[in-house]
Amino acid sequence: MTTTLKTSGLRPQNFKSATQEPVWLRYTLIAVVLLVLSVLLYAPLIAVFVEALDDGIIMAIESLGNRDAQEAIKLTLIIAAIAVPANALFGIAAAWAITKFDWRGKAFLITLIDLPFSVSPVVAGLCLILLFGANSMVGGWLVANGYPIIFAVPGIVLATMFITFPFVARELIPVMTEQGRSEEEAALTLGASGWRAFFTVTLPNIRWALLYGVLLCNARAMGEFGAVAVVSGKIRGQTATMPIMIEMLYNEYMSVAAFSMAALLAVLALVTLMLKSALEWRYADQLAASHRH
Amino acid sequence: MGVMITMLSLVVILPIGTLILRGAQIGFADLWAVIGRERTFNALALSFRAALIAAVFNLFFGLALAWVLVRYRFPGKRILDASVDLPFALPTAVAGIALTTIYAPNGAFGAPMMDWFGLKIAYTELGIWIALIFVGLPFVVRTVQPVIEEIDREVEEASATLGASRARTFQKVILPMLMPALLTGFALALARSVGEYGSVIFIAGNLPNLTEIAPLLIVIRLEEFDYDGAIAIALAMLAISFVMLLVINLIQVWSRRRMGAA
């Protein structure tokens, strides 16, 4: 690319590069891509903020100060604060076991970890209701003893964990496979305990990949709708997370309130994208290969 | 290791196992009877048809987008690249209400479409396609992009020196190299779209037999306490997704073998 640019002054008038598309095709492709992305991605994003500010910024902020809205925001933060660390812990444990040891059934386990990606969130919610609902054996016992799971916070946590289960593990497995085992083995030979080897050798090696996975996991956890909608019972002020609140407000034609809440989540999404891109540019060599740009 | 197995079984295996167990208790004949009902059948058919259409669109568009991102230079490319992941980061409910607002008959894009072409997008199947295209957009791009980056330009030069046109080089040299990645991205987008709920229900209109998707029907059955009905639809979705992914996997194996196990 750079060489063709440098030598462009020497090109004959009708020069055609053998490994590039004709100019008209290049510009058409770029135009089509920009058009489709504007119509599909950028317009909805802008619409969220336009609708939220429809009655001015003061109304938008006031709608977020409402007690039910505050409870929803708090609940979403609590859910993420439980589900994300739990899945991060699982992701590290899974990636560690899969990449640093040899055992049978590894491939099968990876398939199981990926399973939530191909299960509908609604089906995930249904599964939890069947397992923990008041009519089931386990759920009936738990409800009788005062620990309801479905239509309560634990159910929402479980649903969120199910949906975001693979995120951290998926990110760490390729990175840790690439890094191999020699550094840990060296640490162990030099007399470090397993834990010490993990904290002083493995963890520093995977920290950026871990952060990357946690970032994506968090975005999805805070925004999860389908699975949570099924298990939450949608009790305002109690089991309504931010996305559930958006649905309820939207269906009640409270447009400004719904879009203000949506704008808050959209800002979260934008911040996530920015941090993610920053990580990709800065630490590309320490992230999974598929993200290298 | 113990932590991992415990969590995996508690969070993933146990719930899905319960679903399959409950399905087995109901029995195949009864499940089949539920799936055969007109409303259920139409919802399932709609979910898979719309997901397939959206995934095919994303297959072609994703390839074009990945190609543009790797091979061309233009201002704002980095931002464009970063924004491709927006559907991953933006909560589905937010995407749902935003798309509905724009494509509704009185919306920014919906109104001109209605006035000029008499085309109604939101509250029709067309709206469902739009939502599913949105949701599945990043998959093909992100699987194909790294493969395009890896392509050795010398292969393309060799093809050109041997007299192949650019179109022929693309078709005979580049496309076969991208095929496995394209199929992977297609499969991921398809799997995601089939089960998608949040972004679709706002724009769909949700008319039984016409714009009612399978996940929504599961929710409706649950609200009616018709658990057997919900289980039947869920199992049908799992089974069809499984078969589709299996077929795509087989095609992938076949295309790899045809490439000479590259």
Side-chain angles (χ1 to χ4, degrees):
Chain A
M1 194 84 191
T2 41
T3 49
T4 51
L5 281 178
K6 270 181 205 153
T7 55
S8 59
L10 303 170
R11 271 185 198 167
Q13 281 283 296
N14 54 356
F15 174 80
K16 263 168 62 185
S17 165
T19 56
Q20 248 190 353
E21 290 76 45
V23 179
W24 65 266
L25 184 60
R26 261 184 281 162
Y27 284 115
T28 317
L29 270 178
I30 294 176
V32 168
V33 160
L34 284 177
L35 183 75
V36 174
L37 285 184
S38 316
V39 170
L40 268 176
L41 290 194
Y42 307 140
L45 186 64
I46 294 164
V48 170
F49 293 101
V50 170
E51 293 288 323
L53 299 175
D54 201 28
D55 292 342
I57 191 159
I58 297 174
M59 289 298 279
I61 293 173
E62 248 172 40
S63 76
L64 290 176
N66 173 295
R67 202 191 68 91
D68 289 341
Q70 293 276 316
E71 288 298 319
I73 295 171
K74 214 188 290 173
L75 181 61
T76 295
L77 290 176
I78 292 172
I79 304 288
I82 303 170
V84 175
N87 278 348
L89 191 72
F90 166 80
I92 296 172
W96 174 269
I98 285 171
T99 57
K100 308 287 175 188
F101 303 97
D102 288 316
W103 39 283
R104 296 174 70 184
K106 238 192 212 182
F108 180 65
L109 192 84
I110 296 176
T111 314
L112 278 180
I113 292 173
D114 274 344
L115 200 60
F117 274 153
S118 43
V119 172
S120 169
V122 172
V123 175
L126 170 70
C127 290
L128 287 173
I129 285 192
L130 293 177
L131 183 58
F132 293 116
N135 303 333
S136 72
M137 220 168 61
V138 189
W141 183 81
L142 283 167
V143 169
N145 287 283
Y147 296 106
I149 299 220
I150 299 305
F151 305 146
V153 176
I156 305 177
V157 173
L158 280 176
T160 307
M161 278 178 66
F162 182 100
I163 295 299
T164 57
F165 207 63
F167 279 88
V168 177
R170 275 273 94 178
E171 188 56 39
L172 290 183
I173 291 171
V175 174
M176 286 170 76
T177 309
E178 205 172 303
Q179 280 166 352
R181 303 171 190 172
S182 49
E183 289 184 31
E184 278 86 2
E185 280 162 3
L188 292 177
T189 341
L190 293 172
S193 68
W195 283 111
R196 183 140 185 233
F198 174 77
F199 280 110
T200 50
V201 177
T202 313
L203 203 56
N205 274 340
I206 60 167
R207 61 188 167 184
W208 298 116
L210 180 65
L211 185 62
Y212 191 94
V214 164
L215 209 58
L216 296 186
C217 182
N218 179 61
R220 188 72 205 264
M222 288 193 169
E224 178 46 31
F225 177 71
V228 173
V230 174
V231 299
S232 86
K234 301 182 183 173
I235 310 162
R236 213 175 274 252
Q238 283 181 37
T239 62
T241 61
M242 288 171 77
I244 301 291
M245 203 66 196
I246 292 173
E247 186 205 15
M248 293 199 290
L249 292 168
Y250 184 82
N251 287 340
E252 289 157 8
Y253 300 103
M254 310 271 281
S255 176
V256 167
F259 277 101
S260 301
M261 184 82 69
L264 214 54
L265 284 176
V267 170
L268 170 78
L270 289 177
V271 171
T272 305
L273 281 188
M274 261 157 30
L275 290 175
K276 179 176 162 299
S277 304
L279 279 179
E280 278 165 8
W281 292 330
R282 182 85 180 71
Y283 300 105
D285 52 327
Q286 293 174 48
L287 297 176
S290 61
H291 303 298
R292 271 182 204 152
H293 293 310
Chain B
M1 186 83 178
V3 181
M4 180 190 76
I5 301 285
T6 318
M7 272 184 73
L8 186 66
S9 17
L10 202 72
V11 178
V12 178
I13 301 174
L14 213 57
I16 290 188
T18 312
L19 173 71
I20 294 170
L21 200 72
R22 285 289 299 270
Q25 281 169 356
I26 298 168
F28 188 73
D30 287 344
L31 289 176
W32 191 248
V34 174
I35 296 163
R37 271 186 228 151
E38 196 196 2
R39 188 173 169 187
T40 318
F41 183 82
N42 283 334
L44 282 168
L46 171 64
S47 272
F48 283 93
R49 179 177 63 236
L52 207 60
I53 290 168
V56 168
F57 177 91
N58 278 332
L59 181 67
F60 288 100
F61 180 69
L63 174 61
L65 182 51
W67 189 261
V68 166
L69 284 176
V70 176
R71 288 295 174 93
Y72 302 160
R73 279 186 172 189
F74 51 94
K77 184 170 134 173
R78 272 192 160 187
I79 294 172
L80 192 77
D81 195 348
S83 73
V84 169
D85 284 326
L86 188 67
F88 281 159
L90 197 69
T92 52
V94 177
I97 61 171
L99 286 169
T100 312
T101 305
I102 294 177
Y103 288 98
N106 58 357
F109 294 153
M113 283 305 214
M114 197 72 180
D115 295 343
W116 301 341
F117 309 108
L119 200 64
K120 198 176 163 194
I121 297 179
Y123 317 124
T124 68
E125 193 177 328
L126 217 57
I128 301 177
W129 297 358
I130 300 267
L132 292 183
I133 290 172
F134 176 90
V135 164
L137 191 80
F139 288 100
V140 173
V141 183
R142 290 306 184 222
T143 46
V144 174
Q145 204 175 4
V147 185
I148 297 180
E149 276 166 9
E150 296 285 298
I151 292 178
D152 194 348
R153 282 287 181 100
E154 282 174 19
V155 186
E156 292 169 50
E157 278 166 17
S159 167
T161 29
L162 292 171
S165 68
R166 188 67 189 146
R168 184 135 190 240
T169 303
F170 185 80
Q171 192 201 334
K172 295 281 178 189
V173 178
I174 298 169
L175 209 53
M177 288 197 266
L178 302 182
M179 218 45 186
L182 278 171
L183 282 173
T184 306
F186 178 78
L188 289 172
L190 190 65
R192 176 74 206 262
S193 304
V194 166
E196 180 55 25
Y197 175 74
S199 57
V200 177
I201 52 161
F202 296 101
I203 204 170
N206 306 329
L207 288 172
N209 295 317
L210 287 175
T211 53
E212 185 179 64
I213 53 165
L216 177 66
L217 197 55
I218 295 182
V219 173
I220 292 173
R221 292 289 178 251
L222 273 176
E223 280 166 0
E224 295 166 346
F225 297 104
D226 177 7
Y227 283 21
D228 290 2
I231 293 168
I233 304 167
L235 284 175
M237 285 179 69
L238 282 184
I240 303 172
S241 303
F242 180 74
V243 171
M244 283 198 317
L245 292 182
L246 196 72
V247 169
I248 291 169
N249 257 324
L250 287 177
I251 297 175
Q252 227 167 354
V253 170
W254 173 78
S255 81
R256 276 219 187 96
R257 203 168 290 158
R258 223 178 59 130
M259 280 283 295

